[in-house]
Amino acid sequence: MLSTLQPPRSLTLLPFRRLHGSKTIASLASSSPTLDASSVSPPQSQILTTRRSLLSGETTASEIAKSYLSRIRLTEPQLKCFLHVSENVLKEAQEIDQRISRGEEVGPLAGVVIGVKDNICTEGMPSTAASRILEHYRPPFDATAVKKIKEMGGIVVGKTNMDEFGMGSTTEASAFQVTANPWDLTRVPGGSSGGSAAAVAANQCMVSLGSDTGGSVRQPASFCGVVGLKPTYGRVSRFGLMAYASSLDVIGCFGSTVADAGMLLHAVSGYDRFDSTSSKQDVPEFESQFLSMDSFESKPLKGVRVGLIRETLEEGVDSGVRSATQEAASHLEALGCLVTEVSLPSFSLGLPAYYVIASSESSSNLSRYDGVRYGNQVMADELNKLYDCSRGQGFGGEVKMRILMGTYALSAGYYDAYYKRAQQVRTLIRKDFKAALDHNDILISPAAPSAAYKIGEKKDDPLAMYAGDIMTVNVNLAGLPAIVLPCGLVEGGPSGLPVGLQMIGAAFDEETLLKVGHIFEQTLNGSGFVPPTLPNVA
Amino acid sequence: MAATRALLAAISACPRRRMGIKSSNFSSSLQFQRQESRIIARSFSSYTNSSSLPDISCLAETARISLTPAEIEECEPKIRQVIDWFGQLQQVDVNCVEPAIRAEMEGRNLREDAPQTFENRDSIRASIPSFDETYLKVPKVLNKE
C-alpha cells in the first residue's frame, strides 16, 4: 500500500464545478440551450449532449457551428491554433440539419465540431504538416481517421498548428506561427499537437485529432489542461498520417472530458487494409465506461491495481508536478485503488533510444519530400541540386537537424552502434513495462516534468527540449496506450497552470484507462479545467 | 543514465509552488526531493570518440539538403552535442537482446496484391510542380566526373 492517507478531499457527493471562465462556456452555450450552465451538472460528454440536443430539436447543427466559428474568430488572433479554417463548416452543418428534418439517420458524431492536426490528410483542405515544403499542398484523399469522422457526421472545422512534421514539443518549430497556451498567452501549449490541444482548451472545437510519436498528444494535453488519449500502436489506422517515425506514430484524441476523448477514439479505431500495421483486434464499446457519477459506488475503483512509476518522481521533476502526482495517487487510493510503487529499471534509457529511432526513421520518411511530385519546388539546372535546394529551403531547422542525426545513425559503420542498439533498448523497455503491467492494471506518472514554460525558453536548446519528453517516450517505444488528464494546478500564469496525470495501460486495454480516467475525473474536486484568460463570445 | 537525470535537473530552472493544495504524507518508500532554485550546470560524459563525430557537410550531401555556411555553423555544435548524448546507449548491456523493430505484431498482415485504380488522379496531377502531359518534369542529371 502506498500510503496512510488523509481522507479524500472530495468523492461522489460534490457536484461537478468549473473554475473561472465558466461564463465563457455559458455564453457559448447560449446558442445551444441544453448546455445551460445554471442547470444541474454539466454534461459528461459534449458529443453525447450535441447528439441529444440535435435529435430533440433543442438546437441545430448550424447554430452550434456558427457559435464555434464565432469563437474562433474572436480568439484566434491571440491563440493562433489554426492554420486553416474550413470554408464548408456551415454547409456541412446545414446538410446535417436537413437530414434530421427529413427524419433520416445521422451518425454518432453528427454536428460535432472537430479540429484536425495538420499532418493528417484532409481532402481538398491544405495539409502542410506546418512545413513550407508542403505550403500549398492539398491532399487528394482523406486519412482513414478523417474519413471515419466524416462518415459519422463530424464536421472538420479546420487544421491545427503543430511543430513541423511532428518534431518538437511547443509548436515553435511550425513554419507559420506559434500557438499560445490559453492558460497563459506567454507560454507554449506543448507539442507537437499544440494547436489541437489549445483549440479544445479554448473551446474553439469540441474535440480534436492529434498525433503522438513521443508524447505529442499527452504533453500538450497536460500543458493545456485537457484530456489527451494515445491509443495502442495499431489501434487507429495511420493511413493519411504523414509519417514521422513509422514504428512509433499513432493518431490520438483530445477532449475536454475523458468521455469525449474516448468516444472520438472509438469513432476512428479499427482495422484498415491500407495500413499494414493496423490491428484486427476488436474495438470495444468504450461508451459503456462513461457512467453517470450518480451510479458510482463509494469505492468505484475497488481492487484496481495502480503502479506509480518511481523513476518519474526523481530529481529534475518540478516539485509542483510531483505534489500533484502524489495527490492524484492519493485520490485513486480513496476511490479504492491499490496503489504501489513500481520500478522500471530501463526507464531513463528511453529518451536517447527514442531520439535515435525517431531521427533515423524520420530521415527515411522525409526523403519523399523532394519537390518533384508535390510540395514546393526550387527549380535548379540539375536534379540533385533541385532536391538539395527544395529540401534546404523547404524544411525548418529542427527538421533538418533530425534528418542529419538520423542519417548519421543509419550510416555504414554506425548502424549497429546507434539504430540497432536503440532497437535492443526498446526490447528492454517493453519487457519492463510488461512485467509491471502483469502485476498492475495501470501505471501512473506525471505527463511532463513541468507545467507549460515560456515561449522561447527552450527554443535554442535541443537537449533541454528533448528532456521534457522523458515521461512519455517509453510508452511509444512499448506501443502501449496512455491517457493524460488534468489533475491539479501549479503556480504560474494569471490563474495557475494545469498539470496532467498520465495513466498507462496494457496493449489494447484502452477500456481500463477510460474507466479509471473517467471516474477519477468525475470525482476530482475542482475539476472543470477552464482557462480564464480568454474573452467571452459576444 | 546519470547524464539523462542531469539533463532533467538542468531544465528545471526555477521552483514552482503549488497553489492551495497541501502535500500529502506518504510512506518512507517515496523520496521527495526539494528542487534547487539555481540552474544546475549540465555535464555530460563524452561517450563518443571525437574522430567519429559527424561531418555535417557530408551528412547534408547524403541527405540531399543544402545548408548555408551560417546554418552549418549554427547546427553543428547542437548535432554533435545530441550525438554525443546518444553515446550513453553504448554503456547498456544488450548482449543476447533481440532488437525490436516495432511493438508486437499480430502476424503477417498483407493485403491482396491486386491493383486498384485511384479515382481522383486529377488531384494528384494538380499537386505536381512541373508536369507535362504524362511526365513529371525534372532537370537533367549531371555526372560528377
Side-chain angles (χ1 to χ4, degrees):
Chain A
M1 182 69 73
L2 183 64
S3 67
T4 53
L5 297 173
Q6 298 163 4
R9 287 169 296 137
S10 69
L11 267 181
T12 60
L13 299 181
L14 285 179
F16 180 77
R17 290 192 293 111
R18 289 189 182 270
L19 298 178
H20 308 293
S22 58
K23 283 183 189 172
T24 302
I25 305 301
S27 299
L28 183 62
S30 63
S31 63
S32 303
T34 54
L35 297 173
D36 180 2
S38 66
S39 68
V40 295
S41 302
Q44 293 175 353
S45 162
Q46 291 192 70
I47 292 175
L48 286 177
T49 301
T50 299
R51 182 172 176 78
R52 277 197 296 268
S53 59
L54 288 181
L55 294 180
S56 67
E58 288 177 80
T59 187
T60 63
S62 300
E63 285 172 349
I64 294 174
K66 277 183 199 155
S67 68
Y68 276 94
L69 287 174
S70 178
R71 180 146 181 89
I72 289 172
R73 271 194 299 275
L74 188 69
T75 54
E76 261 299 276
Q78 295 169 282
L79 292 178
K80 298 185 172 36
C81 297
F82 285 91
L83 292 173
H84 176 80
V85 177
S86 170
E87 299 99 13
N88 298 325
V89 174
L90 291 178
K91 178 167 163 278
E92 289 172 22
Q94 281 160 10
E95 283 168 8
I96 292 169
D97 289 333
Q98 284 162 8
R99 290 176 66 88
I100 293 174
S101 67
R102 291 194 296 261
E104 294 173 15
E105 286 281 330
V106 290
L109 294 181
V112 175
V113 176
I114 303 172
V116 173
K117 188 177 181 183
D118 206 31
N119 61 350
I120 300 173
C121 288
T122 42
E123 185 181 350
M125 219 188 286
S127 298
T128 68
S131 177
R132 291 254 175 245
I133 207 165
L134 290 177
E135 189 168 1
H136 303 293
Y137 178 63
R138 289 180 185 245
F141 64 99
D142 279 325
T144 298
V146 171
K147 186 163 171 277
K148 289 186 176 202
I149 281 172
K150 289 181 178 178
E151 283 169 352
M152 294 191 195
I155 299 173
V156 175
V157 71
K159 306 304 294 298
T160 56
N161 192 32
M162 54 181 284
D163 290 290
E164 189 180 0
F165 285 109
M167 300 183 195
S169 306
T170 60
T171 76
E172 291 167 302
S174 168
F176 304 116
Q177 61 198 36
V178 177
T179 300
N181 190 315
W183 287 81
D184 179 343
L185 301 178
T186 66
R187 293 179 190 261
V188 301
S192 60
S193 310
S196 285
V200 170
N203 220 8
Q204 293 180 326
C205 57
M206 295 181 194
V207 290
S208 62
L209 289 181
S211 69
D212 192 312
T213 304
S216 290
V217 162
R218 291 163 285 152
Q219 183 251 37
S222 178
F223 280 16
C224 292
V226 296
V227 176
L229 178 53
K230 175 212 172 290
T232 309
Y233 182 87
R235 178 63 96 186
V236 179
S237 170
R238 290 182 298 112
F239 180 75
L241 169 66
M242 296 181 195
Y244 160 19
S246 307
S247 71
L248 302 167
D249 293 340
V250 298
I251 287 179
C253 303
F254 291 98
S256 53
T257 61
V258 172
D260 276 339
M263 277 187 276
L264 181 61
L265 177 65
H266 184 265
V268 299
S269 293
Y271 171 69
D272 179 19
R273 69 188 183 93
F274 292 127
D275 176 3
S276 66
T277 62
S278 161
S279 171
K280 291 182 176 169
Q281 290 254 4
D282 287 337
V283 183
E285 278 298 330
F286 298 142
E287 199 174 315
S288 61
Q289 303 304 325
F290 309 130
L291 301 174
S292 160
M293 210 161 81
D294 299 333
S295 65
F296 290 175
E297 299 168 358
S298 64
K299 299 272 187 190
L301 294 176
K302 187 176 176 183
V304 173
R305 300 165 301 162
V306 176
L308 173 57
I309 303 173
R310 177 188 303 150
E311 287 82 5
T312 63
L313 294 177
E314 291 177 344
E315 183 189 349
V317 179
D318 189 275
S319 60
V321 170
R322 276 199 288 244
S323 293
T325 306
Q326 288 156 349
E327 289 271 346
S330 296
H331 185 60
L332 286 168
E333 271 197 312
L335 293 170
C337 292
L338 303 168
V339 184
T340 54
E341 202 178 81
V342 300
S343 175
L344 300 178
S346 60
F347 183 82
S348 60
L349 295 175
L351 202 56
Y354 164 81
Y355 273 99
V356 168
I357 292 170
S359 302
S360 301
E361 294 186 8
S362 74
S363 71
S364 174
N365 278 322
L366 270 65
S367 63
R368 70 195 68 187
Y369 303 109
D370 57 10
V372 174
R373 288 157 298 155
Y374 40 72
N376 281 346
Q377 182 186 90
V378 176
M379 186 43 78
D381 53 9
E382 193 269 329
L383 182 60
N384 286 327
K385 198 138 191 272
L386 181 146
Y387 295 151
D388 290 344
C389 294
S390 299
R391 289 160 63 80
Q393 293 181 37
F395 290 143
E398 183 64 29
V399 168
K400 285 192 261 200
M401 265 188 40
R402 295 203 193 185
I403 290 174
L404 295 180
M405 292 191 295
T407 305
Y408 178 77
L410 290 173
S411 57
Y414 298 108
Y415 177 94
D416 284 0
Y418 291 105
Y419 187 65
K420 183 179 169 188
R421 190 165 270 266
Q423 301 282 38
Q424 289 169 303
V425 168
R426 181 179 0 214
T427 300
L428 296 176
I429 289 168
R430 280 174 54 197
K431 281 182 180 165
D432 278 356
F433 268 100
K434 186 168 184 322
L437 286 165
D438 281 344
H439 296 98
N440 292 279
D441 296 300
I442 64 168
L443 306 176
I444 61 171
S445 77
S450 72
Y453 40 85
K454 294 280 192 181
I455 292 172
E457 187 176 318
K458 297 193 200 306
K459 195 176 173 195
D460 295 320
D461 192 345
L463 282 181
M465 180 102 57
Y466 298 169
D469 298 334
I470 184 79
M471 306 296 181
T472 49
V473 294
N474 289 292
V475 177
N476 296 83
L477 289 166
L480 298 175
I483 190 169
V484 164
L485 53 161
C487 66
L489 295 173
V490 297
E491 196 169 282
S495 297
L497 297 171
V499 166
L501 176 74
Q502 175 173 237
M503 299 179 181
I504 304 162
F508 298 102
D509 192 17
E510 287 86 354
E511 257 186 309
T512 298
L513 287 180
L514 291 168
K515 173 185 166 184
V516 176
H518 173 69
I519 292 172
F520 178 95
E521 168 195 86
Q522 293 296 300
T523 54
L524 188 66
N525 188 20
S527 63
F529 287 79
V530 179
T533 58
L534 297 172
N536 292 333
V537 175
Chain B
M1 282 182 248
T4 304
R5 277 205 285 275
L7 175 63
L8 255 184
I11 66 162
S12 308
C14 303
R16 289 195 182 86
R17 287 176 291 112
R18 292 195 68 227
M19 271 171 46
I21 303 174
K22 294 177 188 172
S23 298
S24 300
N25 295 319
F26 286 92
S27 69
S28 57
S29 62
L30 274 180
Q31 298 299 317
F32 189 86
Q33 294 177 10
R34 192 172 281 283
Q35 184 174 323
E36 300 280 346
S37 60
R38 61 185 168 83
I39 296 172
I40 300 168
R42 280 200 295 276
S43 62
F44 299 99
S45 303
S46 180
Y47 298 102
T48 313
N49 186 315
S50 61
S51 65
S52 65
L53 287 174
D55 180 328
I56 305 301
S57 301
C58 284
L59 287 177
E61 190 179 339
T62 305
R64 295 276 179 253
I65 296 177
S66 67
L67 294 176
T68 63
E71 283 177 316
I72 292 176
E73 191 182 330
E74 189 194 342
C75 74
E76 188 166 47
K78 293 178 184 175
I79 290 176
R80 289 189 169 187
Q81 186 187 40
V82 175
I83 299 280
D84 186 51
W85 175 64
F86 286 167
Q88 65 182 287
L89 294 177
Q90 309 308 316
Q91 302 196 344
V92 182
D93 181 9
V94 292
N95 191 30
C96 299
V97 177
E98 279 299 305
I101 297 171
R102 63 172 79 94
E104 275 182 53
M105 292 294 293
E106 296 157 354
R108 290 170 67 80
N109 190 15
L110 301 175
R111 61 176 171 82
E112 190 187 327
D113 186 16
Q116 188 176 343
T117 301
F118 182 73
E119 297 302 327
N120 197 359
R121 298 176 75 172
D122 287 340
S123 182
I124 294 177
R125 284 196 199 98
S127 297
I128 300 171
S130 299
F131 182 73
D132 180 10
E133 296 293 325
T134 54
Y135 297 101
L136 280 71
K137 288 171 64 176
V138 296
K140 57 184 178 286
V141 180
L142 287 177
N143 288 324
K144 282 199 176 175
E145 300 111 24

